[in-house]
Every structure is written in C-alpha cells, then in structure tokens.
Amino acid sequence: MRPRNFDDELDDTPAFSEAVTLLRNTSSGLYCDAGDFYIDPWKGVDYAVITHAHSDHARIGSRNYLASEEGRAVLQERLGPESRIESLPYGKSITRNGVTISFHPAGHILGSAQVRVEYRGEIWVASGDYKVEAEPTCTPFEPVRCHTFITESTFGLPIYRWRPQAEIFADVNGWWRANQAAGRTSVLFAYSLGKAQRVLAGIDPSIGPISVHGAVAKLLPHYAAAGVRLPEVQSVETFRAAEGRGLVVGPASIDGTPWLRKFGEISKAFASGWMQLRGARRRQALDRGFVLSDHADWQGLLSAIRATGAERIWVTHGSTGPMVRWLKENGWEAQALVTRFFGEAANGKEEAEEKEP
Amino acid sequence: MRRFTRLFVALDETNRTNEKVAALESYFREANPRDAAWALHFLSGRKLPRTVTSTALRNWAAEAAGLPSWLVEECHDAVGDLAETAALLLPDTPSTIDLPLHELIENRLLPMRDAPETMRKEMLLRTWSELDAKERLVWNKLITGSFRVGVAQTLVVRALASVAGVEQAIMAHRFTGRWQPTADDFNHILNPNPEAGGEVARPYPFFLASPLEGNLEALGPLSDWQAEWKWDGIRAQLIRRQGEVLVWSRGDEMITESFPEIAEAGRAFPDGTVLDGEILAWQGELPEPFSRLQRRLGRKVVSRKMRGDVPVVFLAYDLLEWKGEDWRARTLEERRRQLESALDDALHRPVEIAGKPLTAIGETFDLFELEHFSPIPALPLRLSAVLTPDSWESLLPMQHESRVRGVEGIMFKRRSSPYGVGRQRGDWWKWKIDPFVMDAVLINAQLGHGRRASLYTDYTFAIWHENKLIPVAKAYSGLSDAEILEVDAFVRANTTDKFGPIRAVKPELVFELAFEAVQESTRHKAGIAVRFPRMSRWRHDKKAADADTLENLRALLRVPR
C-alpha cells in the first residue's frame, strides 16, 4: 500500500484497454471529460453534480450545482443562499455536451441520488451513498442498469448486517420507556441531516415529549415541505418542563456541551451503523448503541451491485480493499477509487467533518 | 445460557455502576447455584484455557458463514476481537435451546478440550446452530478464553455482599480466596453467616497505597508516620494455617509453587499467621531487578539450579492475622510490634525438616542433607526496615538514593491506622521516584482490545541507531481518547506496509515515553529492554530526527538499576 497523496494531479483511474472511460478521478474529484462536469467535487469547480447534501459530498465553492429536485432545499440550506443550484426530478435528464445526466433515488437521505451518465451508448452510475431498505423520509433506492457502477462501501464487510428497522425502533422505544420510568431524559445522537429525521419518523411519539437540537430543527421545515410527516417537536424550554420523560435528538457533537447539561440526568445512545461493533459503542461511553444506518450493509451492497447488471465496479469509501477483492474473486472487474475522505475509521462518523453550529 | 447472556448484555449495555450491581444482584438471586458458580468464575476474571485456536475458529466460522477465510481475517482486523467477529458473521438464527450454563461448560466446553479435532468442530458448529447472535458472542468468548465483561471486581463483591447480607470486607475475603465453580462453593460464598468461610486459603484483601502528589508536610507531623522503602517485587501474603503454608499474590494467584523456599520458611510461624509483604530477588544486602524475579514466575516446578541462580526473600511489612485472630483493625504500631517479635521468634525457632530438627539462626543448614546438596542460607525471611528520618526534609536525599538501593521510592503509613481494604486514600501513601524518559518515533501500530478494538492503540516505538530507526518499546497507555482518535486517523492515512495485524506507518509522530528501567536483553533487536514503558506526552514540537538515540538509552544501563 502506498501513501495517499492528493495534491498530485494524478489520474488514479484504472486503465481498461477496451472500455470507454466516462469518468475519471482527479485531484478535484470524479470528472467527466466529455460532459465537462464533476460529481461531488471536493474543490471548487465550474459545474458540480451533487449526489446528496452531506458535507463530504456537497462542498461549497463551485460556480454551478446540479442536484435532485427532492434534495434541492436541504442542499441550499447546507451550501448557503448564495450558491447557484439547478435541479432535476428523479428520472428526468439533461444533456451537456452530448452527455446525458439523470438522477435516480439512492434512499440514503432526503433527495439523495445516484448519478447516471450516458454517452454514446456507454452508461455509468455513481451511487453516492445509499441504502436499500425503504423508509419514510426519502424516496427508496432504485437500481439502475449500467456498464460501470461506482459504489460506496462504507460498511463493505460481512460483519455489517442490519436487522429490520422495525426491530431497532422497538429497542429505541423500550430504552426510552425504561429511562422515563427511571426519571431520566433520553438523549439520542443521530446525524442532524437524515438520520435525525429518520429517527423522528420511526419512534413512537405517544411515549412522551420530543425535542431536537437546533442543527436538526433548522432542517425540519424542508422535510415538511417535501411531504415527510414527522412528529411534533417542542422547544427546549417547554420540553424541560417534562422533567425526565422526554427524548432529545441531536448530533453527537453535542455530547459533553453545556447545552446538554440543561436536561439533568440523561441516558445517552447513538443511532449509527458503527454501533454494530462493541468497541465503537464502549469507547464513547454510551449507554446504548442502536445499529441504524443510512448506508447499505454487506448484503445490501452486493444486491445493489448485482441489480445494476454492471460488469465493472469501482469501489469507494470504507472497506474498499476487501470489497474489491471479493468482487474480483466472484467474476467482476473491480477497482478501488481513492477519495479524499476516509470513511474507513469506525469512529462513529458516517459523515466526514460534520460541523455543528 | 439465556439468563447468563442476559446478564452479560445488561452489564455491557450500561455505564452506571448502580445498574451493573443491580443486574449482578438479580442474577445471583435468580440463577441456579450450579450456573451462578460458573458465572462467578468468569466474572472474577478466571478463565478456562482456550478450547479452540484462533486459526481453527477463523476457518470454521468462515465455513459456517460461507465466506473465504481472508475475508474473515479482514473482518477480524476491523472488529479487533475474533470471538465477536465470528458471532457477527454466522447466520442470524434464533436460539433453539436453553442449556444451563453449567451444562454448557461441563458437558460441552470442557470435553471439547480433549476431543479430537473433528469432534471439536462438530460440537462447535452444533452449538453455534443452537444459539442466537448474543449467546454466540458469549459462547465464543468462553471457548477462546477471552471472556471479559466490563465490570470491576469490587462491583461483583458489592453485589455478592448485598445478596448474602454480609459486609463487603467479609465478602472480599471470601471472594479472593480459593474456590471452585461448584454449587457448594457458591452457596458457601453466599453464606449469610459472617463467621462462615474460614478456610485455610482465604487471604485478606490487600491494602493499597495511593500516589503522593502534594508536598510531604501536608501529611502533618512526621511522628504520625512510619516510613519504609517502596520495594519493587511481588506483593504477597504468606498464609500459615492448619499446618499449611500458602503464598498468595496481589495478582490474585496462588504462587506457592513458584517460591518453595518461602513456603518452607513459612513453617517457622505458628498456625494462624498471615503476613503481608513483598517477594524479591535478593543478593547480599540489596534487592535485584524485577526482571530477575520474573524468571521464577509461572513455573510449577522450580529447579534447584533456579533457586540457586535467583535466590529470593519474603520481606515482611505487616501482620494481618496472629494466632488465628484478624489483626487488621488494630493500629499499625501494634501490628508492627507483633510482626517484629513474630519474625524474631521464627528466625530463632527450631524448624523440623524431613523429621530432623534444625536451627536457622545465623548459620547455614542443609535442607537436602540426605541428598548432599549445597547448603542454602538461613531462612529467606526479612523485615522491611523502618526508616528513621529526623525531619521531612531529610527524606529528600533518601528518596534520591532510591535508584541506587534498587527500590521505587518511599512509603508512608500512618502509625495509628488499621489495615484497610483496596485503595482507600489517607493512610498509606507511596512517594515514587520520577521515571526515566525518552523521545521515540511511532513506527508500527496494531488494533487494541475491548473498548479500543477497531482503533489503532497499540504502538511500537523506535529510536535512532547508526542513522536507522530501531524498535525499542511497545506502549499502549497514556494518551487521551481524543489523542487516540488522532493517532488512529494518522495510522490509517499513513500506512506504508502491513504485516498481518500490524501496520507500519510513516515515521513522523514523536512521543515522550516514560519508563522505569533499562536492562540488557538478547530478545530485543536493540539489545536492551525498557521496563513498563508508557506514553507520557505527545511531542508535537519534535520531528522524527529529534528522537533519542540508542547510545543515550544505553548510557542509562550504567545508572544503577
């Protein structure tokens, strides 16, 4: 393994002799020569096609953005009102220098999309982040047939096997009730964009009052506008009157802050795929870890890859090495795609660099 | 197995001491004593030898999960714990059988040890198919001998004491001793009668000193305190009861067999005597380095040659039981007086060996006279001397002598204090000498264990020798959680090579390592070994080129000890 160096203007793309290379890796990110655009660039470019609004995919500084219609509002919220964003409903396409671009649901968070790129009959799909289990806060994942599929593999090891979400939410509800009985406020850490709303949609709101951190709250109107039904949340002041009966949802970055101390005695839990490992949960001194992920698990990744019918797979984020080797051993042409972000570490971060105000 | 798994999950799912104790209590109340005895065996940190090797477990788990074994290895690398990895990979089937824990251990696990490989595999696969994911994790941990649960021994004692309705000190007393995982012994531990439990082997819980950080004057008048050297050996109790002598270590192990001469010497005390002290390798009037003593450990049979090569002594500093009576509540002053007289009597008392009366004092005698072996010196028993400083200031130069004397510093014990339990602050203080330090470069990293599994927390450090970095120490402790995450990210982003679970990294990060001593070593590439290295500081201000040299470190060999 050689050290990664991102400053070199190197083309890391594997050379396939016969194949058309529609996308290649550059120091700014995945680039389409024929169409002159980038997908999820990590530097400012002229034209950026964005899979979803998480900060490791949607970076500020580009002149023009193209996003899915469903994801436009949250992306604007994240990138700021100044950013120029065009949008396109799922399944509709535009053409740029003869290259057809379209978005297809990725099921990761509200508005998340796979990017389909077609040029002279050659079809490539960049998945962005995705999960295959359907849930109420976003349009469910749809497989897209293609020649080359660029898949994420954040949880690309067979140790990651998700239980049905209904079981996880039953556990969350049980934990909340037990805390209520003990007079403790339940604090559930969840990424403020996506996971927090999914949690709100999944828990049983009849148990008690619910409040959220500001980072979550400011995204709720966009969910409402998209027609996602979420339970009512209370302001922190009203909520505190409930004294130990309620549930607070906020990003993990609030752990140990004065804001959290407002709630008196609390029980802390984290909803994340990383909670599958005992070590990850125990390290953070959490009371509970709920294995609830917005990424596909091992079987989910494999089923998604199969459903594309693609022969060539590029693997990015997370456990790229094992996934590439497994795919090669099972008849695929596969290659790791180095990205700037390290999804590899099980540090409880599904999104890199999520900074909360 | 279901009930025990529930206990494991309950202990694993909370960070609250009270909830852990409550979970333990309800388990000990509800569980069948035959099962609870085994549970207690594991909760007390005792293990069963591993029944299945890592390689076999990996291969069989791969087979059962239908995965190539390289992929299981990759998973192991991510999880950090093979038992957990296997539990996560196996098909997610419900539990179909609720085998009592004792049956699982006695009828499956223990017989597996001596079974031929094909049988072992069959039993393992069958058990896997009958358990659910959580039960399988517990089972895998039991068969790999890696069962650990995040609960301190003191909490287990607290729960047991509450269930039995006896004081914690009494329970600690029962708990530390020798018992087997049987229903009888378990019931005995839970005996509500505080008088019960006077078996020969029952040691007392050790009283531990706390590090002294403030200045000496804060301790009050010097006359309130007894000062002694802080010895660097094995803390142990010498138990003489009912015609037997036992040596019990602070590591909760019976080490009688490793030190037969101390056990023999213990016969010089009357029945009903328990001494607290330190076992040391000893030459002339000075202790020898701890590394010498280590050669004596973990041996079932100690050869005469070994006894001659590494002579040891038991250095007594406290008297816990005298004439069958618990003396711990008496003052240190009173205990010390009796200790001195008991030791004096022992050294003057005629000892009977092999039916022949012998006198020990001031002369050498031949224990193995009939076999014509060389004589050994007088009984290996000594008193830990009391230092007699005339002021607090006069202790400073004495403390500076520590290294030359082969001790770790000075102890202060309050003369009026009883012998406590565990690390109770206030009456026993240790004033240790400052450790040595060096600046070394991080070159290799490995995943940690337990709560640090899946993080790179175990590091190898190197220093310069002839313009090359050579490994000199491994260290695991000393960094904050935030620093660990930072180093982990560095390791992942700067890996230059992989050897099995070890990652070589770009030699860039410099840490100050604290350590206690340097010794010559033929087992290490550097030719030296450092004792108890730990990270004392991350030297962000230093570059790899600024790290120490082997020559600097070798110079410390000349510092006594």
Side-chain angles (χ1 to χ4, degrees), chain A residues 161 184 266 281 283 287, chain B residues 12-13 16 19 90 455:
Chain A
R161 177 169 54 200
R184 280 196 292 263
I266 57 171
R281 174 171 58 74
R283 216 163 37 233
D287 292 304
Chain B
D12 201 45
E13 278 185 351
R16 289 162 213 277
E19 285 178 7
L90 293 163
L455 272 186

Side-chain angles (χ1 to χ4, degrees), chain B residues 158-179:
Chain B
R158 229 169 90 185
L160 288 170
S162 148
V163 173
V166 301
E167 283 167 50
Q168 277 186 46
I170 290 176
M171 188 51 73
H173 192 211
R174 290 182 191 173
F175 181 76
T176 29
R178 188 194 272 175
W179 44 266

Side-chain angles (χ1 to χ4, degrees), chain B residues 396-415:
Chain B
L396 266 167
M398 292 177 91
Q399 206 234 14
H400 291 148
E401 279 174 36
S402 295
R403 278 222 162 85
V404 186
R405 292 182 162 272
V407 297
E408 288 189 301
I410 295 177
M411 297 282 303
F412 298 106
K413 300 174 181 174
R414 195 186 294 278
R415 289 184 197 277

Side-chain angles (χ1 to χ4, degrees), chain A residues 1-4 156-163 167 171 179 182 184 265-268 276-289 298-299 319 321-327 329-330 342 344-347 349, chain B residues 8 12-16 19 67-68 70-71 74-76 78-79 81 84-85 87-92 133-134 136-137 141 148-150 450-455 481 484-485 488-489 492-498 503 506:
Chain A
M1 192 180 190
R2 73 192 159 78
R4 295 160 175 169
L157 284 172
I159 46 174
Y160 297 109
R161 177 169 54 200
W162 312 146
R163 285 159 56 215
E167 289 180 25
D171 286 354
N179 289 331
R184 280 196 292 263
E265 205 193 332
I266 57 171
S267 174
K268 294 189 288 189
Q276 176 82 338
L277 305 186
R278 277 176 84 215
R281 174 171 58 74
R282 293 172 65 195
R283 216 163 37 233
Q284 296 177 50
L286 297 165
D287 292 304
R288 291 293 293 273
W298 170 257
Q299 281 305 336
S319 315
M323 180 56 92
V324 166
R325 181 166 171 192
W326 195 92
L327 290 171
E329 288 186 1
N330 287 276
F342 307 110
E344 197 185 348
N347 291 342
K349 289 185 192 165
Chain B
F8 176 82
D12 201 45
E13 278 185 351
T14 180
N15 268 319
R16 289 162 213 277
E19 285 178 7
L67 296 169
W70 66 261
L71 186 51
E74 290 279 0
C75 291
H76 181 192
V79 177
D81 178 274
E84 185 182 346
T85 308
L88 289 170
L89 289 176
L90 293 163
D92 194 6
K134 282 173 178 165
R136 274 198 306 250
L137 172 63
K141 287 187 160 284
R148 268 179 71 232
V149 63
R451 64 186 282 266
R452 293 150 61 123
S454 76
L455 272 186
D481 285 357
I484 288 175
L485 287 181
D488 178 76
R492 288 170 198 275
N494 292 279
T495 299
T496 54
D497 214 342
K498 287 184 181 179
R503 285 188 179 210
K506 218 195 256 174

Side-chain angles (χ1 to χ4, degrees), chain B residues 193-242:
Chain B
N193 179 2
E195 303 292 314
E199 276 119 328
V200 182
R202 294 277 146 97
Y204 293 95
F206 285 92
F207 188 22
L208 306 175
S210 308
L212 186 64
E213 272 132 20
N215 57 8
L216 294 173
E217 284 78 9
L219 292 178
L222 180 61
S223 57
D224 285 356
W225 296 90
Q226 172 177 310
E228 290 171 51
W229 295 117
K230 180 173 184 336
W231 305 102
D232 182 19
I234 298 166
R235 178 87 182 272
Q237 280 174 37
L238 184 66
I239 301 167
R240 166 71 162 149
R241 285 184 197 134
Q242 298 172 33

